[in-house]
Amino acid sequence: KQEVTQIPAALSVPEGENLVLNCSFTDSAIYNLQWFRQDPGKGLTSLLLIQSSQREQTSGRLNASLDKSSGRSTLYIAASQPGDSATYLCAVLNSGGYQKVTFGTGTKLQVIP
Amino acid sequence: EAQVTQNPRYLITVTGKKLTVTCSQNMNHEYMSWYRQDPGLGLRQIYYSMNVEVTDKGDVPEGYKVSRKEKRNFPLILESPSPNQTSLYFCASRSGGGYEQYFGPGTRLTVT
């Protein structure tokens, strides 16, 4: 059974700092990995999608990498801003006939002005 | 505008009273899913559908039913809700292959 872990569970950084969020998964048989952000009491906003054949994706100040063989992904946020404060979730789309999705439990990020 | 909609957004009900949460998408996506989100447990998949009339269980299907009679709609049915089904529910959709998921705004359900 796929298990997805995100470390740390919470992170507090001063504004302007570069930071890395981690996501690890136990089964490398995946179609893709998707990063989301969730604001308190709100829905999920898609940030980046990495296909299993890709190594990284970039969008603005965000860069996500994927190392399928080691079961790891990182989300790099450059020059963090208070507006980046949210919970960040990673989700893997498992390959195979049923294509289930497994989420990590998230990293709660606070960027202090 | 491409979107996934859910109704109702908030619902308070009593144990045993059947309810349906609707989900609709306007992107002609094949795949649709339901998730519940609970503190400390994250998002867990309840049911998913690969196309019309094709559904399968996720990780926590007990106490839920779904149907997919039309491509755009994927309602979640709680035949006899219990307090342990109090949660935040999300519907999502995506196109075939390994494309990104789009999420609805969520439905906060409280069962007393």
Side-chain angles (χ1 to χ4, degrees):
Chain A
K1 179 184 175 184
Q2 179 77 271
E3 293 182 3
V4 181
T5 304
Q6 291 186 248
I7 295 173
L11 182 63
S12 184
V13 301
E15 181 177 2
E17 191 163 298
N18 302 325
L19 58 100
V20 175
L21 307 181
N22 297 294
C23 172
S24 61
F25 47 96
T26 55
D27 186 350
S28 62
I30 65 170
Y31 267 119
N32 63 38
L33 185 145
Q34 194 169 356
W35 283 93
F36 296 87
R37 71 172 277 167
Q38 185 177 27
D39 295 288
K42 303 290 187 182
L44 279 72
T45 301
S46 178
L47 297 174
L48 288 165
L49 173 76
I50 312 178
Q51 301 291 352
S52 62
S53 58
Q54 296 175 320
R55 296 285 292 182
E56 65 178 70
Q57 282 285 342
T58 298
S59 176
R61 294 184 294 109
L62 306 178
N63 175 276
S65 69
L66 175 65
D67 184 344
K68 203 173 74 162
S69 61
S70 68
R72 297 176 68 177
S73 176
T74 61
L75 178 67
Y76 174 83
I77 303 176
S80 58
Q81 302 170 358
D84 294 331
S85 298
T87 296
Y88 290 80
L89 299 161
C90 67
V92 297
L93 175 61
N94 301 297
S95 59
Y98 299 108
Q99 298 191 355
K100 290 185 178 181
V101 175
T102 307
F103 274 84
T105 51
T107 295
K108 186 174 183 179
L109 172 66
Q110 181 182 24
V111 180
I112 303 166
Chain B
E1 180 190 355
Q3 60 182 352
V4 179
T5 57
Q6 295 178 227
N7 283 293
R9 295 288 315 279
Y10 303 91
L11 180 60
I12 301 174
T13 189
V14 296
T15 299
K17 186 176 181 180
K18 181 179 178 180
L19 66 93
T20 299
V21 184
T22 64
C23 174
S24 183
Q25 50 93 5
N26 62 1
M27 295 168 278
N28 201 37
H29 285 168
E30 291 86 358
Y31 289 82
M32 297 185 75
S33 293
W34 275 103
Y35 299 87
R36 60 178 292 173
Q37 185 176 33
D38 302 289
L41 297 176
L43 276 123
R44 295 176 292 168
Q45 197 171 31
I46 304 171
Y47 268 96
Y48 57 94
S49 170
M50 290 162 279
N51 215 321
V52 175
E53 303 290 4
V54 183
T55 63
D56 206 347
K57 298 176 181 179
D59 294 321
V60 287
E62 296 78 18
Y64 304 95
K65 285 177 60 177
V66 293
S67 68
R68 187 94 181 271
K69 293 183 169 53
E70 303 168 283
K71 197 171 185 179
R72 64 183 291 124
N73 296 323
F74 190 43
L76 179 69
I77 303 158
L78 285 73
E79 295 268 1
S80 183
S82 62
N84 65 12
Q85 292 178 299
T86 292
S87 188
L88 180 58
Y89 291 86
F90 289 101
C91 179
S93 73
R94 66 177 178 87
S95 59
Y99 295 101
E100 66 181 305
Q101 287 197 97
Y102 293 84
F103 278 76
T107 295
R108 187 166 293 281
L109 172 65
T110 302
V111 183
T112 61

